[in-house]
Amino acid sequence: MTHSLQENVATPMRDGTILRSDVFRPDAPGQYPVLVSRTPYDKRRAAYRKVARHLADNGYVCVLQDIRGTHASEGIYYLARNGRQDTMDAEDGYDTVEWAARLPSSDGQVCIWGHSYSSWSAWVAAGARPPSLRALFGSGMAARILDNTRGIFETGRRLHWMYQQAADLRRRKGGPSLSKDEIDARWFDVERFKWVWFLPLADIPDSAFPGLTGQLRDYLQKQEIETWAFDDLHPLVEVPTCSVTGWYDRIIGAIEQFEGMEANGPAHLRGRHRLVVGPWGHGMAALNRQAGPLDFGPEAAALYEDLLLTWCDEQLKGKPPADSAPVRLFLMGANRWCSAAQWPLPGSQETEFFLHGQGNANTVRSDGQLTRVAPGDDPPDHYTYDPRDPVMSLMGRDIQMEPRLQAPNDDRQDILVYQTPPLENPLRVIGRVSVRLWVASDAPDTDFTAKLIDVRADGSAVNITYGILRCRYREGYATEADPLRPGQVYEIEIALNPTAIVFGAGHRIRLDISSSDFPNFDRNHNTGRDFWSDTELRPARQTVFHDRNRPSRLILPVTAFEAS
């Protein structure tokens, strides 16, 4: 089937603002379900149009829309991260769904879909309950922002993103029209991403992100506030939903959208929601088998548009599903897909791996060990965290999580390394990972990071998942910050992103402990003051205990579950 395209169709909102939509229609006569995606990233992007063409060629009308205040649409653009209350996305989403349902080629059924920000706008619209909405497909969007950021500014990713978004506002005021590649070239090759080092962040000049710097300053002061809170919307979403993410997606909290809909969504829809987790990162344009140094095999390769098409065929055209299981997970290491009835999987056993050593766990040549045996009288490990020389994030150029060889950080004295002996048998880990540490610091506030790593038989080490805790949040985000006291020992818990992996026989399980992961997360200045206004960077002396009374440990969800 071929299709036609009508560009920049006027889409009126309830307040008179005109948003602009591109409408892709099948050429064959008839009426078809409509798929709507609303984006601040320019509806003309090749990745969006690739999906829209595929859908139109398979019997759907597809509407791509620039959200309010971006690209071809009128209005003022407000950042989603500052909270739903600042935007018109609920109203605009509702109005767009109902407008799309009335298109001449529409059969009245609408599915709203999107990735990342577009998924955010889809969930907000679904919570407004437009009558013509029949399904939602969302990827790369967490239910709770704090489960994504842990209350810490994501310096590298967020400032790069702000720079990209500000380019459109420059254009709207008469500046040059730049492609995404041209914007990125300026950020990396001209600006040299200098703003990630700027202090204090609140004093970044307006010229850096024109039109958005004021909103950025507001966002800097909301790091501990839950500004997404999709949990509140789940009871209001009255359509089946499909959530897609990847084990290397830094916004893997899309899993929580599925959990929230199953637990708190309308009762008559429970069991109809779907979750798909592949071995992918945040970018859904290319779902490849190869990621960094890893090849996940032929089953890992997929097309985003095929995932969307399959969901819509089931929900809007009544086609029977190829796999009726609510949960599909890719099991890394085994490199195959698994189906399950629920998440978290039943039968997982929280298994403790205790930290051991003789006080010399610094660097990969350390004496740090992970074993199932509880520690005895082991001496503690120490390191100095200096925010002027943070541990640099081993990530993609765009500060997105991906598999990376860990060798560049092998010789850092501010990373403690603990690892098991080579495994005699494979170990299957599926679910949430956590680390409990007994720590002390001479700083009133500081961070502790944890990274789970697979050390292969040849000695190469690849990251699996990671987590961070800012100590001021150790009792929660809503509590008044209680400064650390020098010499006092605290038990803290670091939540790592969930994963699904088989550690192979002959592999080692490794845990790296440090206090920075920059610019993935902003540096803790170790002063206890507000990070956005503070210019002082103070070194901190850190101690990690692992003895019989203070047993620091890694907790893995080990499962004997044999998914189909």
Side-chain angles (χ1 to χ4, degrees):
M1 186 182 296
T2 59
H3 66 270
S4 61
L5 167 61
Q6 188 178 5
E7 297 182 290
N8 287 325
V9 179
T11 312
M13 299 294 104
R14 63 187 66 182
D15 65 350
T17 300
I18 300 298
L19 308 188
R20 296 288 174 177
S21 305
D22 287 352
V23 181
F24 297 74
R25 293 182 174 89
D27 283 335
Q31 293 180 310
Y32 303 93
V34 186
L35 309 186
V36 170
S37 188
R38 307 179 60 253
T39 178
Y41 299 143
D42 190 352
K43 64 185 183 303
R44 300 170 300 171
R45 274 194 190 177
Y48 291 127
R49 290 197 160 188
K50 177 173 175 280
V51 174
R53 290 189 182 103
H54 185 73
L55 295 167
D57 289 343
N58 282 275
Y60 291 91
V61 176
C62 191
V63 174
L64 300 179
Q65 184 184 88
D66 293 323
I67 71 170
R68 181 180 292 249
T70 68
H71 302 281
S73 289
E74 296 176 357
I76 299 173
Y77 173 48
Y78 290 100
L79 299 177
R81 285 178 174 263
N82 281 350
R84 299 195 308 269
Q85 73 285 344
D86 291 339
T87 80
M88 290 284 290
D89 283 291
E91 296 86 346
D92 291 352
Y94 181 108
D95 293 349
T96 300
V97 167
E98 294 308 301
W99 172 85
R102 296 191 300 270
L103 289 171
S105 48
S106 167
D107 71 357
Q109 299 183 93
V110 179
C111 172
I112 195 164
W113 66 277
H115 174 66
S116 196
Y117 204 121
S118 300
S119 182
W120 184 92
S121 68
W123 279 99
V124 170
R129 295 186 282 189
S132 301
L133 190 66
R134 296 292 180 268
L136 180 150
F137 182 96
S139 57
M141 179 46 53
R144 297 178 290 277
I145 193 172
L146 291 176
D147 289 344
N148 171 214
T149 67
R150 307 299 178 187
I152 304 171
F153 186 59
E154 301 169 292
T155 316
R157 181 70 208 127
R158 199 51 41 219
L159 295 185
H160 179 200
W161 181 87
M162 294 289 294
Y163 193 79
Q164 292 172 321
Q165 295 306 100
D168 177 55
L169 298 186
R170 286 193 188 98
R171 179 197 60 79
R172 293 166 75 90
K173 294 181 178 181
S177 179
L178 302 175
S179 69
K180 179 180 181 298
D181 289 343
E182 289 171 325
I183 298 166
D184 286 348
R186 289 193 177 192
W187 175 256
F188 291 113
D189 302 330
V190 179
E191 301 283 359
R192 303 286 182 182
F193 43 89
K194 63 186 179 186
W195 300 115
V196 305
W197 299 98
F198 191 89
L199 292 177
L201 285 170
D203 286 355
I204 288 178
D206 291 344
S207 59
F209 313 109
L212 291 179
T213 309
Q215 292 190 57
L216 170 63
R217 293 192 184 109
D218 289 343
Y219 177 60
L220 290 173
Q221 300 183 39
K222 293 181 176 179
Q223 295 306 299
E224 77 284 3
I225 298 174
E226 182 48 66
T227 58
W228 288 352
F230 284 111
D231 310 70
D232 297 340
L233 291 186
H234 291 153
L236 304 177
V237 176
E238 296 183 332
V239 296
T241 66
C242 180
S243 296
V244 178
T245 185
W247 300 122
Y248 285 95
D249 185 355
R250 38 175 281 281
I251 313 184
I252 197 173
I255 291 175
E256 297 153 4
Q257 302 281 23
F258 170 80
E259 290 183 279
M261 289 303 299
E262 283 293 308
N264 303 312
H268 68 282
L269 292 174
R270 293 173 193 173
R272 293 184 61 189
H273 305 290
R274 297 290 181 266
L275 172 65
V276 179
V277 190
W280 311 310
H282 187 62
M284 289 283 163
L287 306 179
N288 298 323
R289 60 182 286 175
Q290 186 77 35
L294 301 182
D295 184 348
F296 291 111
E299 288 192 34
L303 292 174
Y304 185 85
E305 52 266 38
D306 283 342
L307 298 175
L308 175 56
L309 179 63
T310 298
W311 173 248
C312 291
D313 280 350
E314 294 171 8
Q315 299 303 317
L316 304 180
K317 294 185 177 181
K319 293 187 178 180
D323 185 345
S324 60
V327 178
R328 290 188 69 231
L329 309 174
F330 191 88
L331 185 57
M332 300 184 293
N335 292 347
R336 61 181 178 86
W337 286 96
C338 306
S339 297
Q342 65 188 70
W343 174 272
L345 301 188
S348 292
Q349 180 69 41
E350 288 195 347
T351 304
E352 296 179 327
F353 291 80
F354 295 95
L355 280 59
H356 291 267
Q358 295 304 309
N360 300 295
N362 315 72
T363 83
V364 293
R365 288 168 290 281
S366 76
D367 62 12
Q369 299 176 22
L370 283 176
T371 79
R372 297 293 312 284
V373 179
D377 297 322
D378 296 9
D381 289 305
H382 306 275
Y383 64 94
T384 297
Y385 157 52
D386 188 343
R388 297 170 301 178
D389 177 27
V391 175
M392 299 303 291
S393 306
L394 298 178
M395 307 183 83
R397 193 172 186 232
D398 56 357
I399 317 299
Q400 297 286 7
M401 185 185 178
E402 64 182 22
R404 282 293 184 103
L405 294 173
Q406 300 299 295
N409 284 337
D410 277 357
D411 296 319
R412 291 199 63 113
Q413 292 290 324
D414 54 354
I415 300 178
L416 304 180
V417 178
Y418 306 90
Q419 55 188 333
T420 66
L423 298 176
E424 295 182 2
N425 299 296
L427 188 74
R428 186 186 296 108
V429 173
I430 304 177
R432 296 185 177 91
V433 178
S434 64
V435 171
R436 289 185 177 271
L437 295 179
W438 290 86
V439 300
S441 176
D442 64 0
D445 184 35
T446 195
D447 294 346
F448 285 92
T449 66
K451 186 184 293 186
L452 180 65
I453 295 168
D454 179 19
V455 182
R456 296 178 290 186
D458 63 3
S460 59
V462 178
N463 55 299
I464 302 303
T465 185
Y466 66 91
I468 188 170
L469 176 74
R470 181 148 291 183
C471 287
R472 68 188 300 144
Y473 303 136
R474 65 190 183 277
E475 300 297 336
Y477 299 105
T479 60
E480 187 73 22
D482 181 20
L484 300 176
R485 293 165 180 79
Q488 185 166 333
V489 180
Y490 300 87
E491 185 182 21
I492 62 172
E493 181 173 9
I494 305 174
L496 283 69
N497 290 339
T499 192
I501 184 172
V502 175
F503 291 95
H507 290 217
R508 297 173 183 261
I509 300 170
R510 176 172 136 189
L511 176 68
D512 284 6
I513 300 296
S514 190
S515 288
S516 52
D517 179 7
F518 182 78
N520 186 26
F521 295 102
D522 197 54
R523 298 168 289 176
N524 196 313
H525 296 200
N526 297 325
T527 65
R529 295 190 285 269
D530 293 329
F531 77 95
W532 64 84
S533 60
D534 191 17
T535 58
E536 182 184 0
L537 298 174
R538 182 189 302 174
R541 184 64 173 167
Q542 319 288 54
T543 302
V544 175
F545 299 87
H546 41 80
D547 54 52
R548 69 176 74 250
N549 295 319
R550 295 166 293 194
S552 294
R553 62 251 191 227
L554 165 69
I555 304 171
L556 297 178
V558 174
T559 177
F561 173 80
E562 283 290 352
S564 60

